[in-house]
Amino acid sequence: MTSTTPRIIAVGNLKGGSSKTTLAVNVASALAEHGAVVLVDADAQGTAAAWGEAGKLPVAVQSIPLADDGQAAFAAWLSKLVALKASAAFVVVDLPPNLGGVTTAALTIADLFLVPVTPSGMDLRATEKALQLLRQARQVRGGEKPFALLVPSRVDRRTAAGREIEGVLSDFREQVGPAISARAAHVDAFGAGQWIGAYAPRSVGHVEIEALAAVVRRMVAR
Ligand SMILES: Nc1ncnc2c1ncn2[C@@H]1O[C@H](COP(=O)(O)OP(=O)(O)OP(=O)(O)O)[C@@H](O)[C@H]1O
Ligand SMILES: [Mg+2]
């Protein structure tokens, strides 16, 4: 089912290098098969924007960076995001790490918080903090939104941590999504300026991203 109301999907975690950008670019690109998508690069590092620079992604990439510098900046940033919503079926926001205020701002309007978590103790601690922000946002909004999906990312099932990640994430009491395994193709797709579905169609990496995007679509259709 394709949603007719524009949906905002915020991809974030407070830990750097947890696969936020890889997930944002690939999920946005998979969603583009079902409606117009704008991918917002909210990170001043500009990784998502660099990925789209070659013009090979099936989504429009907009750089709307936000630093953690106060309410006025947040309000201006949020109004840009709301304006984009009108032109797309899905807005996917790639959030920066370490900036709780930026994540909080995004969660005031997001329909879904997509949280990639790699099987490392450091990621789990940052995830706990990110989920505190999520629960605060739900309280302020007085409802069940944003929905949340924890996505085991860069998973290597040869390691114990990789085999146990779903069990560990279930303790957070949020939905745990289809996992994305560690694949060299994800790294190389960035170098090629393509999403995984174009770079390595029907590869395991592509199939996993499509499975994740299908869950995302179901969740935001509610
Ligand atoms: N599933 C995967 N398999 C293999 N490598 C991956 C996978 N996901 C991400 N990577 C690699 O891990 C590194 C970090 O990924 P990415 O840039 O997506 O993380 P991030 O959370 O956006 O980082 P930052 O916090 O710096 O914004 C990159 O080199 C990326 O190519
Ligand atoms: Mg990133």
Side-chain angles (χ1 to χ4, degrees):
M1 186 181 90
T2 304
S3 166
T4 48
T5 319
R7 299 299 190 189
I8 297 187
I9 299 149
V11 185
N13 198 332
L14 301 183
K15 171 73 169 59
S18 58
S19 288
K20 296 176 294 295
T21 301
T22 302
L23 232 60
V25 166
N26 283 296
V27 168
S29 297
L31 289 174
E33 291 156 20
H34 305 278
V37 180
V38 179
L39 173 62
V40 173
D41 189 345
D43 187 349
Q45 288 184 104
T47 312
W51 203 322
E53 232 159 43
K56 294 181 189 166
L57 295 180
V59 298
V61 189
Q62 294 264 348
S63 281
I64 313 182
L66 177 62
D68 210 346
D69 56 3
Q71 291 305 317
F74 289 163
W77 183 79
L78 281 174
S79 63
K80 284 184 202 163
L81 220 61
V82 171
L84 280 178
K85 218 174 130 149
S87 64
F90 305 98
V91 177
V92 178
V93 184
D94 181 25
L95 289 165
N98 306 323
L99 299 177
V102 179
T103 302
T104 296
L107 293 181
T108 62
I109 55 164
D111 296 288
L112 174 67
F113 188 28
L114 198 60
V115 187
V117 190
T118 65
S120 100
M122 272 153 70
D123 258 30
L124 294 174
R125 270 206 290 280
T127 301
E128 179 60 50
K129 286 191 194 141
L131 293 183
Q132 279 168 16
L133 301 182
L134 168 77
R135 288 174 187 135
Q136 280 164 18
R138 283 179 181 157
Q139 235 171 21
V140 170
R141 291 170 65 171
E144 51 178 352
K145 280 201 174 174
F147 302 127
L149 186 62
L150 301 177
V151 182
S153 291
R154 241 187 302 139
V155 174
D156 181 349
R157 302 291 187 193
R158 291 170 304 182
T159 66
R163 288 191 295 273
E164 289 159 8
I165 177 101
E166 276 90 354
V168 172
L169 292 187
S170 67
D171 288 347
F172 288 117
R173 299 188 314 282
E174 297 291 340
Q175 190 168 327
V176 177
I180 304 297
S181 49
R183 298 271 155 189
H186 280 300
V187 180
D188 294 337
F190 170 76
Q194 292 178 302
W195 77 290
I196 192 78
Y199 182 78
R202 291 174 296 282
S203 62
V204 174
H206 178 208
V207 170
E208 288 177 344
I209 288 291
E210 291 287 354
L212 174 60
V215 173
V216 166
R217 279 174 60 222
R218 275 202 297 279
M219 288 184 82
V220 298
R222 282 191 274 159

